[in-house]
Amino acid sequence: NCNHGHQVDPSEGPVRTFVKGFLTGFIEAIICYPTEFVKTQLQLQSKSNPEYTGILDCGRKTVAKNGFMGLYSGAAPLIIGSSGKQAARWTGYQTVANQFKDDKGNLSIPARMFSGACGGVTEAVFAVTPIETLKTRVTDDMRRGTG
């Protein structure tokens, strides 16, 4: 079996796809969270009496006040959420794509596009909306000192 020069792995099931997506999202979140934290702090600050003048000022003040790990304050929901988003997207995509593969494991471009759309819908429904809401609430609680 050949799929564009790559061997098709018969053990590549939904659980394995879910785990690979979860790990991808986990690593992405660890790397990207500090910028997400700063962005959210800037969005939530008072418009009439802002605490920060910009991205670098927010980062500097956060590290000065709470150390480097302060940039990861409230990170757990985002890390879990990003992991869940990737897992949902890739599981949705792969599950649908598997239905369209031919005997050699090939997938047509329209089938790839439809599978991608299904992966995106899966991600939006099961991960994006609930996680973004939770992330903003947790970050706001941390900012207010109520979290």
Side-chain angles (χ1 to χ4, degrees), residues 94-141:
Q94 198 64 54
T95 300
V96 174
N98 286 343
Q99 305 307 308
F100 291 106
K101 287 183 180 176
D102 64 19
D103 294 340
K104 295 181 180 180
N106 295 320
L107 198 58
S108 69
I109 290 176
R112 283 182 194 275
M113 292 170 65
F114 181 72
S115 299
C118 290
V121 168
T122 303
E123 177 185 10
V125 169
F126 292 108
V128 174
T129 302
I131 292 302
E132 287 300 312
T133 301
L134 181 62
K135 178 201 72 178
T136 301
R137 287 182 182 167
V138 167
T139 303
D140 191 35
D141 285 348

Side-chain angles (χ1 to χ4, degrees), residues 46-65:
S46 166
K47 304 298 180 239
S48 59
N49 186 22
E51 184 177 351
Y52 310 109
T53 59
I55 295 168
L56 294 177
D57 183 54
C58 181
R60 248 190 315 271
K61 286 180 179 174
T62 300
V63 170
K65 183 177 179 183

Side-chain angles (χ1 to χ4, degrees), residues 34-99:
T35 55
E36 187 70 25
F37 175 81
V38 167
K39 176 198 79 162
T40 304
Q41 294 289 12
L42 292 171
Q43 287 175 331
L44 295 173
Q45 73 179 341
S46 166
K47 304 298 180 239
S48 59
N49 186 22
E51 184 177 351
Y52 310 109
T53 59
I55 295 168
L56 294 177
D57 183 54
C58 181
R60 248 190 315 271
K61 286 180 179 174
T62 300
V63 170
K65 183 177 179 183
N66 303 310
F68 179 76
M69 291 308 290
L71 293 172
Y72 285 91
S73 181
L78 183 80
I79 291 170
I80 293 165
S82 290
S83 301
K85 285 193 287 188
Q86 290 286 351
R89 179 187 320 147
W90 288 109
T91 303
Y93 170 83
Q94 198 64 54
T95 300
V96 174
N98 286 343
Q99 305 307 308

Side-chain angles (χ1 to χ4, degrees), residues 16-29:
R16 195 167 175 187
T17 300
F18 182 88
V19 170
K20 288 194 309 192
F22 189 89
L23 290 173
T24 300
F26 181 82
I27 293 166
E28 172 191 23

